[in-house]
Amino acid sequence: MPRLYGFDDASRRRLRDDEVDATRQMVSRALSGQSNQDVAVWANGEGYRGTLGGEWKDASVGRLFRNPAIAGLRYDDDGELVDAGHPGAITREEFEALLAREQARRTKDAEPAYDYLLTGGGSTCGICNHDLGGARTNVGTPGYRCRPKDKKGIGGCGEVRIDAELLEDYVGEYVAAELLKPRIRSQIVKAQDAVRKKADSLKREIKDLEERQAELGRLYGNREISSEALVAGEREIAANLKDIRPRLRYAEQMVNFSLGHAKDLVKWWNTAPTASKRAITLLLLEKIEVFAASARGVRTVEPGRVVLHWRKLSDTSGG
């Protein structure tokens, strides 16, 4: 079985460093409105090739984008997306946006996919601290929402909603202003060095957990532990991996981010791929808290509604 682009092996236990960033950039370009053919032309122009050395085509880009494994997911027997137990190059939200984009391509009247900047832990509910997720309003406008608890008790308070463009423009203005400060670039480089060390530490943690997972299987195969012990051990390891892998993914995004020599930061922010904007946002901001508006229908960021917690770049290694 050939390996999937972005992974080191067919078992998909390890991401391939020289293909992960390419995958993320391809996805960002697709979600920003480029066609699969445009993405393929860009990838080939940058020198990227498929796992067998061939050039990218519209069809091969489409196959990659439809494979849930690139987000660390798989389809269960009911056709639902679930954690596949291996790392992913992109987030679940990005993959779901790719699916929505694919559906929009098939249905001309369908709403185009929206490339959310602050999902996947990028913004949190100021009331219950639950991560905000992307959710369209009844009229189809993209927004962020604290999803209420479902029947299994998973979710937040459901009290906070905000227009996506409103929140992202607000955050973008402050991030661009921060980047204009003297010496910020040198601080970013130092912070990225710290994040790189953190990413290496997370990789070691993942490797250790995977080795423990394999050891559990060996012990069970030799009948040295019971099936109950095996299930309990694997459940604990899976929970730890589920927590660590997104942290590693975001750390890698921060490490791979490059501002380059942009002279017009506002123009750069407005045209940069979402992955790049997300990386610099995560690098500069420790947390973005969003609170409920004073009344239903408020279309402004009222004082205190969005609270930006700036990261001390010298302390990034602990993030």
Side-chain angles (χ1 to χ4, degrees):
M1 177 181 178
R3 68 178 181 84
L4 179 66
Y5 190 80
F7 293 86
D8 250 345
D9 53 8
S11 64
R12 300 168 185 167
R13 290 294 177 185
R14 297 182 306 278
L15 292 171
R16 192 180 185 92
D17 293 338
D18 60 345
E19 294 177 355
V20 167
D21 189 52
T23 301
R24 290 170 179 161
Q25 290 196 57
M26 290 165 70
V27 169
S28 288
R29 289 175 179 276
L31 296 181
S32 67
Q34 292 189 13
S35 67
N36 287 355
Q37 181 61 36
D38 291 336
V39 172
V41 170
W42 172 84
N44 293 329
E46 292 293 313
Y48 298 119
R49 296 294 182 268
T51 56
L52 299 179
E55 289 194 341
W56 288 98
K57 305 291 184 183
D58 184 318
S60 55
V61 170
R63 284 194 297 271
L64 179 68
F65 288 171
R66 289 191 296 272
N67 195 323
I70 64 174
L73 304 170
R74 64 176 178 83
Y75 290 108
D76 64 12
D77 294 338
D78 297 322
E80 298 293 327
L81 284 172
V82 296
D83 185 15
H86 62 71
I90 64 173
T91 66
R92 181 189 185 101
E93 289 78 13
E94 287 170 325
F95 181 71
E96 290 176 340
L98 286 176
L99 293 181
R101 170 181 175 269
E102 180 69 16
Q103 183 62 32
R105 292 176 68 205
R106 297 177 181 177
T107 309
K108 292 183 179 179
D109 296 331
E111 283 286 347
Y114 185 81
D115 193 8
Y116 288 97
L117 175 66
L118 302 172
T119 54
S123 56
T124 61
C125 174
I127 299 174
C128 68
N129 206 37
H130 188 73
D131 289 348
L132 298 184
R136 289 186 178 270
T137 65
N138 293 335
V139 295
T141 304
Y144 290 87
R145 178 191 182 193
C146 177
R147 296 186 182 277
K149 287 182 173 57
D150 57 21
K151 295 180 180 179
K152 297 180 180 179
I154 300 174
C157 64
E159 297 296 322
V160 171
R161 284 178 176 266
I162 189 168
D163 179 81
E165 185 176 356
L166 184 67
L167 177 61
E168 291 173 5
D169 285 351
Y170 181 85
V171 172
E173 288 178 8
Y174 278 90
V175 169
E178 188 73 9
L179 291 172
L180 287 170
K181 292 182 179 180
R183 295 178 294 180
I184 190 67
R185 289 173 185 258
S186 62
Q187 288 182 293
I188 288 175
V189 171
K190 292 179 181 178
Q192 284 180 306
D193 288 339
V195 172
R196 187 174 290 106
K197 294 178 182 178
K198 183 63 178 178
D200 290 340
S201 174
L202 292 173
K203 288 178 181 177
R204 289 193 294 270
E205 287 186 56
I206 290 174
K207 183 178 179 181
D208 179 63
L209 287 168
E210 290 175 343
E211 289 176 349
R212 286 172 53 192
Q213 197 173 43
E215 178 64 11
L216 279 175
R218 187 191 66 79
L219 291 173
Y220 179 71
N222 293 338
R223 299 184 178 181
E224 296 180 46
I225 60 173
S226 65
S227 60
E228 290 81 6
L230 173 67
V231 171
E234 287 189 333
R235 183 182 297 118
E236 179 183 352
I237 290 173
N240 288 332
L241 287 171
K242 188 175 182 179
D243 174 64
I244 295 173
R245 280 171 174 156
R247 289 161 55 196
L248 173 61
R249 183 162 60 242
Y250 290 131
E252 288 175 332
Q253 285 185 1
M254 287 186 267
V255 169
N256 292 330
F257 164 76
S258 176
L259 185 58
H261 300 285
K263 295 180 180 179
D264 186 343
L265 285 169
V266 175
K267 181 179 179 181
W268 174 84
W269 179 268
N270 289 335
T271 59
T274 299
S276 294
K277 293 193 286 188
R278 183 184 294 114
I280 191 62
T281 300
L282 291 170
L283 190 63
L284 295 177
L285 287 163
E286 184 175 347
K287 183 167 66 171
I288 300 171
E289 286 186 302
V290 183
F291 293 84
S294 61
R296 184 182 295 274
V298 172
R299 302 286 297 173
T300 61
V301 178
E302 302 168 296
R305 187 180 181 189
V306 177
V307 181
L308 307 179
H309 295 266
W310 295 97
R311 191 186 300 278
K312 294 181 180 179
L313 294 185
S314 59
D315 296 337
T316 306
S317 59

